Amino acid sequence: MKAVVYRGPKNVAVEERPDPTIQAPTDAVIRLTTTNICGSDLHMYEGRTSVEEGKVLGHENMGIVEAVGEGVDRVKVGDRVSVPFNIGCGSCRNCTDGWTSFCLRANPTEGMDGAAYGYANMGPYDGGQAEFLRVPWADFNLLELPEGTEHENDFTMLSDIFPTGWHGVELSGFQVGDRVAVFGGGPVGLMAAHSAMIRGASQVFVVDKENDRLALAGKYGATPIDFSAGDPVQQILDATGGRGVDRGVEAVGYQAHDHSGQEHPELVLDNLAQVVRSTGGIGVVGVYMPSDPGANSDLAKEGRIPWQFGTFFTKGQSMGTGQAPVKRYNRQLRDLIIEGKANPGLITSHELGLDQAVEGYRNFDDRVDGWTKVLLKPGA
């Protein structure tokens, strides 16, 4: 099969790899119909993780079941399915508590709870930017979708970014009627804004500097805040009569940077501590790493990020963090799509064949105008 393989910083290649096979009775093999390039893939693409050369990338996957192991009795060959990026065993303490993003069995990497496809430190699993994908514990992990091709570009967001955006809002302690500030207008940030609007936010601000992302925020009913035009905290305070917001979502991560491109990993955390009201909440779904050798300070290289914790403490704010447990949300989000109440596919800018993955990575990473979300279609 063809697959997208990591070959070093700013270097991916489409190569031939052996087709995946059933390795355990609970496995399934999926024929990919859509697989996305995620913003978090760019951390690997830029050489800012410990991902090994030769890794098949891709954790946002959906497709058709091609084969199942003898222990699979719910999922059937021919089913159309979404593949959560979390790989959960279904029986450990965290999985049974609904925290599949922190499965205790799936990842043999020392010190890491939680596994995923095609990602640094998340286990030995190949990714789905390929023609086929092996799915462990298939009955537990796979989400069934309606037959056919309807909503393909909406459903493909169910594997990660739509549930992750929803999770960011959930972690913030959101309540109906709250004002929300989302920092980061990439795909996850836009999904957080969409989720907040669906859930009944009175107002949502999306902070970014890219015009195409800010325009999409407006299409979802959010108020765009261009941080290259001035301090985003002050812009939001001015727009709220000095009150700030009730909830904040961090959808940027450890490579946060100012409008000039200079990295400041503490920047978004500082802004949120300032703009969220006292006793308000913050949800952090942007990726942070235990260490970052490519950082521009010794502390940040060790994963230590000085930020305004004193402000956070003094204001009595709360914070939730971590990767989204996709299965906690994906069935409900699927049904919102089916009923026309959610439109995550609106962010799609490019649909490319798998052979065009190199172009897709380069343009998405370079923030070329209009490249807001890239979908790869292995069958094209």
Side-chain angles (χ1 to χ4, degrees):
M1 68 173 184
K2 293 179 180 178
V4 179
V5 177
Y6 177 76
R7 285 298 171 203
K10 301 289 184 96
N11 186 5
V12 295
V14 180
E15 300 178 2
E16 287 291 331
R17 286 296 181 92
D19 289 353
T21 59
I22 301 294
Q23 298 180 22
T26 52
D27 285 354
V29 172
I30 309 300
R31 173 175 55 83
L32 281 301
T33 55
T34 304
T35 177
N36 312 331
I37 300 176
C38 180
S40 60
D41 288 331
L42 300 183
H43 298 306
M44 293 184 292
Y45 179 71
E46 294 173 1
R48 296 292 290 273
T49 71
S50 59
V51 65
E52 63 270 24
E53 188 174 335
K55 186 83 165 180
V56 178
L57 303 178
H59 59 272
E60 296 188 7
N61 307 308
M62 67 175 291
I64 307 297
V65 178
E66 287 283 300
V68 297
E70 61 184 13
V72 176
D73 59 9
R74 180 180 68 84
V75 176
K76 304 292 189 296
V77 171
D79 284 351
R80 185 188 187 200
V81 292
S82 172
V83 186
F85 82 88
N86 320 120
I87 302 172
C89 71
S91 59
C92 72
R93 177 175 180 172
N94 286 347
C95 282
T96 57
D97 283 348
W99 291 102
T100 53
S101 44
F102 298 95
C103 177
L104 298 171
R105 295 178 59 209
N107 190 349
T109 305
E110 185 176 355
M112 291 293 295
D113 294 339
Y117 302 94
Y119 205 85
N121 300 320
M122 298 302 286
Y125 306 97
D126 281 339
Q129 290 172 7
E131 294 179 297
F132 298 95
L133 174 71
R134 181 178 76 92
V135 177
W137 297 290
D139 270 343
F140 178 70
N141 284 299
L142 293 175
L143 173 70
E144 294 167 287
L145 302 171
E147 295 180 359
T149 60
E150 189 177 11
H151 301 302
E152 181 82 8
N153 289 358
D154 292 311
F155 287 151
T156 195
M157 309 304 177
L158 290 172
S159 57
D160 179 1
I161 62 168
F162 194 12
T164 295
W166 191 277
H167 187 55
V169 176
E170 182 75 11
L171 288 173
S172 75
F174 176 86
Q175 299 180 45
V176 173
D178 280 347
R179 284 192 177 93
V180 180
V182 178
F183 278 71
V188 168
L190 291 169
M191 291 298 94
H194 190 28
S195 298
M197 295 300 294
I198 291 171
R199 295 175 67 162
S202 59
Q203 189 171 18
V204 178
F205 299 94
V206 173
V207 179
D208 206 286
K209 69 180 182 63
E210 305 296 337
N211 290 330
D212 50 1
R213 294 176 170 186
L214 294 171
L216 282 170
K219 289 182 179 180
Y220 279 123
T223 301
I225 299 292
D226 181 357
F227 72 80
S228 69
D231 177 14
V233 171
Q234 192 59 53
Q235 291 186 61
I236 294 172
L237 290 174
D238 289 344
T240 59
R243 292 185 297 273
V245 296
D246 305 289
R247 313 291 164 185
V249 177
E250 203 285 18
V252 178
Y254 70 110
Q255 288 184 256
H257 54 270
D258 62 25
H259 69 277
S260 71
Q262 183 71 29
E263 280 195 16
H264 300 278
E266 78 290 347
L267 182 62
V268 175
L269 295 174
D270 284 350
N271 285 336
L272 284 168
Q274 294 171 45
V275 81
V276 172
R277 65 169 172 83
S278 61
T279 74
I282 298 169
V284 181
V285 288
V287 173
Y288 287 83
M289 304 293 286
S291 64
D292 177 20
N296 59 9
S297 75
D298 290 339
L299 281 176
K301 288 177 182 178
E302 298 177 2
R304 299 176 183 274
I305 301 173
W307 64 289
Q308 293 181 8
F309 184 80
T311 300
F312 175 79
F313 174 83
T314 301
K315 295 175 74 173
Q317 296 166 338
S318 60
M319 180 182 289
T321 70
Q323 292 186 340
V326 170
K327 278 176 59 65
R328 188 184 288 261
Y329 311 115
N330 62 355
R331 284 170 173 77
Q332 300 96 312
L333 301 185
R334 174 199 62 190
D335 294 344
L336 286 173
I337 291 168
I338 292 170
E339 295 302 321
K341 296 179 180 179
N343 181 21
L346 178 65
I347 69 172
T348 302
S349 60
H350 292 78
E351 299 175 57
L352 307 178
L354 200 62
D355 287 335
Q356 298 171 283
V358 174
E359 173 191 0
Y361 265 93
R362 182 179 63 249
N363 288 322
F364 189 37
D365 184 60
D366 288 345
R367 305 292 192 273
V368 174
D369 186 58
W371 288 73
T372 53
K373 184 63 176 177
V374 180
L375 313 188
L376 302 176
K377 305 285 185 175

